[in-house]
Amino acid sequence: MAEDTISQIATAQGTGGIGIIRVSGADALNIARAVFRPMRGTLGEIAPYTARYGNIVAADGTIIDECILLFMRAPHSYTGEDTVELQCHGGTIVLRSVLQRTWEAGARPAAAGEFTKRAFLSGRLDLARAEGVMELINARSSRAARAARERLAGALSREITAIRTRLLGVIARIEAGIDFPEDDIPAASAAAIRADIGDAAAAVQKLLTGAYAGRILREGVKTVIVGRPNVGKSSLLNALLGTERAIVTDVPGTTRDIIEEEISVEGIPLRLIDTAGLRASEDEVERLGVARTEQHLGDAELVLAVFDSSCGLTDEDREILARLKKMDADIIILCNKEDCASVLRVTDFDGLNAPVLMISAQAGTGLDALRETIAARVRALEGDLGDGALPNKEREVESLRRTAQHLSEAERSLTEDMGTDFISIDLRGAYETLGEILGETVDTDLIDRIFSEFCIGK
């Protein structure tokens, strides 16, 4: 546990009705006594989890701000330490003045993520749960927020702990036979060991499968709107956003740069990208826009391919279709301008494994069906995993991959009858590698790097 006491503004920067200064550490209450004057009596030995009304005062007694003080006694606080929260008015100047006053009284400025880091170091949160804090703050959709809450509540941690507990039981049985053969301890049968390894490997693989869904919830699905010029791509963007984000004209090639916005479709975050129309052009600026379109198509996860239903497929449309057939991304075909006389038919897109929807971005028809189709396609990619134990950090995925490799090696040692000591080495490797996800077997440099990515005040 850290010996010094830290303080920082815990609420978002800017002007608001209330702003909170958090003070955490062994000296938190003494610092509060130095800067806070209750309206009645003295602060004295304030009972934990009670509120007191008073003023924050400068060293010379000048009132800085009115304040409500909350005191939380260790270990029952966010950090696991004695903690004081000062609820002041939310102006930038007044909060900085109160914060400076806590530093004058003996606190030091908290580094980024240091409150949550102390919660981890005190044992109140493991590393997987601690990272759920920032995921909840940064959630881009209601579904992402729900997944973050479940991670913070320990969904992923429980899965990891259950696998480690199973592995530890196998290790204990094997090593008892290795270390104490004279005690006539029955050796674990090969079939039982293989079953335990197989169960652990299946559980690890399920978590690895869920990593894609976890990344979607954290980062969003990269969704590229593509088509030749003037088919209604920008109109579709505006319709999905519900605002006039992109300029729409009858002049082909209006969109020359990439426009990116975020939306949520049935709780699924989408990074929606409107691109320049794909066509050969002599205009230098438009050619640069088309080049950027090509780049985004290269790593798109979902493509909304827009075609003008009021006319037949053009050579440019056919070139786009030929490109789509070579892509790995999930694709939805949109025949736009259905409010006009429609010429396109579903059979025009034979050979492309993609749903074909009739829409009018301008009139707003067909958009509900589009949203439902997007949600269904993304959930099919995710699999039926729910929102709970979803690893989504690269370090977590890498730890799970190495764990799977250890388990594979342990099973190979068993199959080739290489001896239980070789099996035990790989099982211990799997056990310790899983511990990295919980923060039990990681070095301090990694811990510092993880929490440095948190926001100031958290």
Side-chain angles (χ1 to χ4, degrees):
M1 183 66 66
E3 295 182 358
D4 54 352
T5 299
I6 57 176
S7 66
Q8 193 53 261
I9 300 170
T11 42
Q13 296 295 319
T15 302
I18 296 174
I20 297 175
I21 307 291
R22 177 179 285 159
V23 186
S24 181
D27 209 29
L29 189 55
N30 288 331
I31 290 172
R33 292 190 182 109
V35 305
F36 179 81
R37 295 289 179 271
M39 285 298 185
R40 296 182 181 178
T42 62
L43 194 56
E45 291 297 329
I46 181 174
Y49 319 108
T50 58
R52 297 289 298 274
Y53 170 62
N55 293 314
I56 300 294
V57 295
D60 62 3
T62 304
I63 293 176
I64 298 175
D65 191 25
E66 291 180 293
C67 174
I68 292 177
L69 179 147
L70 298 174
F71 173 56
M72 289 154 277
R73 176 75 72 186
H76 305 296
S77 69
Y78 179 76
T79 61
E81 305 173 320
D82 282 359
T83 300
V84 170
E85 289 189 354
L86 304 172
Q87 298 186 2
C88 309
H89 290 99
T92 301
I93 299 301
V94 69
L95 281 176
R96 294 300 301 180
S97 298
V98 175
L99 181 62
Q100 182 66 42
R101 183 73 184 97
T102 65
W103 295 344
E104 293 172 0
R108 69 162 174 82
E114 190 168 3
F115 292 108
T116 306
K117 180 180 178 181
R118 290 190 174 204
F120 166 72
L121 293 174
S122 70
R124 202 186 72 79
L125 296 175
D126 61 48
L127 195 53
R129 293 180 63 197
E131 289 185 296
V133 174
M134 281 310 298
E135 288 186 18
L136 185 58
I137 292 172
N138 295 327
R140 302 182 180 191
S141 68
S142 58
R143 189 171 166 214
R146 183 170 65 250
R149 285 195 299 271
E150 292 187 16
R151 171 186 272 254
L152 181 56
L156 177 60
S157 301
R158 286 191 294 272
E159 293 288 337
I160 298 297
T161 299
I163 300 172
R164 296 185 85 214
T165 300
R166 177 183 290 272
L167 292 177
L168 194 59
V170 181
I171 293 168
R173 293 201 309 273
I174 291 174
E175 295 190 352
I178 294 172
D179 295 338
F180 306 105
E182 70 279 4
D183 291 344
D184 197 27
I185 298 176
S189 69
I193 294 174
R194 182 174 283 106
D196 283 330
I197 294 174
D199 288 345
V204 169
Q205 187 55 51
K206 181 179 179 181
L207 290 175
L208 279 170
T209 303
Y212 178 74
R215 187 187 60 75
I216 283 177
L217 291 178
R218 182 165 62 92
E219 299 177 4
V221 180
K222 185 173 183 179
T223 306
V224 177
I225 304 174
V226 68
R228 63 178 171 83
N230 215 32
V231 294
K233 299 186 300 300
S234 296
S235 295
L236 175 61
L237 175 75
N238 291 341
L240 289 173
L241 292 175
T243 184
E244 295 296 316
R245 174 64 178 86
I247 297 173
V248 176
T249 73
D250 292 331
V251 180
T254 302
T255 301
R256 298 187 172 199
D257 202 353
I258 302 302
I259 299 176
E260 182 170 347
E261 293 288 341
E262 292 185 4
I263 63 171
S264 177
V265 175
E266 295 190 19
I268 300 169
L270 301 185
R271 293 162 53 208
L272 200 58
I273 300 172
D274 182 21
T275 62
L278 287 173
R279 68 170 178 176
S281 175
E282 298 298 323
D283 184 285
E284 178 65 19
V285 176
E286 187 175 356
R287 284 197 294 111
L288 289 172
V290 171
R292 292 188 179 184
T293 299
E294 302 273 4
Q295 292 174 356
H296 281 285
L297 272 177
D299 59 359
E301 296 171 294
L302 177 64
V303 175
L304 305 182
V306 185
F307 299 88
D308 186 344
S309 68
S310 66
C311 61
L313 294 177
T314 66
D315 290 340
E316 290 171 340
D317 288 331
R318 293 187 180 91
E319 289 180 10
I320 292 172
L321 286 173
R323 170 185 288 273
L324 293 177
K325 290 177 182 179
K326 299 176 182 178
M327 293 185 63
D328 293 329
D330 211 43
I331 299 166
I332 300 175
I333 301 295
L334 302 176
C335 298
N336 191 31
K337 306 182 183 180
E338 71 157 353
D339 48 325
C340 304
S342 181
V343 175
L344 289 179
R345 298 291 182 266
V346 172
T347 53
D348 292 325
F349 305 98
D350 285 349
L352 189 64
N353 183 23
V356 180
L357 304 179
M358 306 298 292
I359 69 167
S360 172
Q362 186 172 9
T365 57
L367 297 184
D368 286 343
L370 171 58
R371 294 185 182 95
E372 292 172 1
T373 303
I374 289 173
R377 301 291 281 193
V378 173
R379 285 174 180 150
L381 291 173
E382 292 178 345
D384 185 19
L385 294 166
D387 295 337
L390 300 179
N392 57 31
K393 304 289 191 301
E394 186 55 40
R395 73 170 190 88
E396 294 171 344
V397 174
E398 180 57 27
S399 292
L400 288 168
R401 287 173 180 153
R402 287 190 286 116
T403 298
Q405 182 62 34
H406 279 301
L407 293 174
S408 177
E409 290 296 324
E411 187 171 16
R412 185 175 69 85
S413 296
L414 179 62
T415 300
E416 296 179 3
D417 198 23
M418 296 175 63
T420 52
D421 50 347
F422 286 96
I423 301 171
S424 178
I425 289 170
D426 275 310
L427 291 179
R428 278 203 170 275
Y431 178 83
E432 292 174 3
T433 302
L434 286 173
E436 295 174 2
I437 297 175
L438 303 179
E440 294 186 10
T441 55
V442 293
D443 58 42
T444 55
D445 288 342
L446 178 59
I447 294 296
D448 291 341
R449 187 166 69 251
I450 289 172
F451 285 105
S452 69
E453 297 175 359
F454 281 45
C455 58
I456 296 291
K458 198 62 182 177

